Amino acid sequence: MSALKWQGWLVGLMGLAALLVFAPLGLYVWASGGGAGAPAPRVAAPEVRVAECRIDPVSRRVVAVVEARGEGSYVVTVEFRDRELPGPNTRTSQSLIRIPGLTPDPAARAEALGPVWPPAATPWCGIASTTPSPTATTADAATP
């Protein structure tokens, strides 16, 4: 009978030791936000607009001046068409530009070059999409 009593105490002490080891670990994981399953903080989408859409007189290419405000770095897809509302099966030209390190004020400006444009047509420039850009790399940091 005393052997069973001794085994009961041993199981109890092992349970207490496990609680003393794993309870602080569990509290640490809980306090730190739950690990990899926790959602990333959401950043407000930037305000991006086409400030100017013109045809370069020398090269006859469409140039869109894009203005952006917000926080972070983004890749913006600029679309070039001959009218604002495209018809069915209309193909459009697109250009990608990267806008690094946005701040709320002042607005960052970048130029997107489009295709060579016919002389008689008036271009339309618009923002097709805006996606977050990965953080700056060492190549970006080396660029003046």
Side-chain angles (χ1 to χ4, degrees), residues 24-89:
L25 179 64
L27 285 173
Y28 174 75
V29 170
W30 175 74
S32 66
R42 296 194 54 100
V43 177
E47 177 187 331
V48 181
R49 70 181 187 91
V50 175
E52 183 181 347
C53 184
R54 61 180 165 78
I55 298 174
D56 181 56
V58 176
S59 66
R60 298 289 310 156
R61 292 179 70 143
V62 181
V63 178
V65 177
V66 176
E67 189 174 84
R69 282 189 172 91
E71 291 185 17
S73 297
Y74 292 88
V75 174
V76 178
T77 305
V78 181
E79 192 171 56
F80 305 97
R81 299 192 297 244
D82 58 352
R83 59 181 168 244
E84 186 173 353
L85 300 173
N89 300 324

Side-chain angles (χ1 to χ4, degrees), residues 91-112:
R91 294 186 63 182
T92 61
S93 259
Q94 294 184 341
S95 178
L96 294 174
I97 57 172
R98 183 168 183 260
I99 303 177
L102 284 180
T103 58
D105 275 330
R109 293 175 73 97
E111 286 188 354

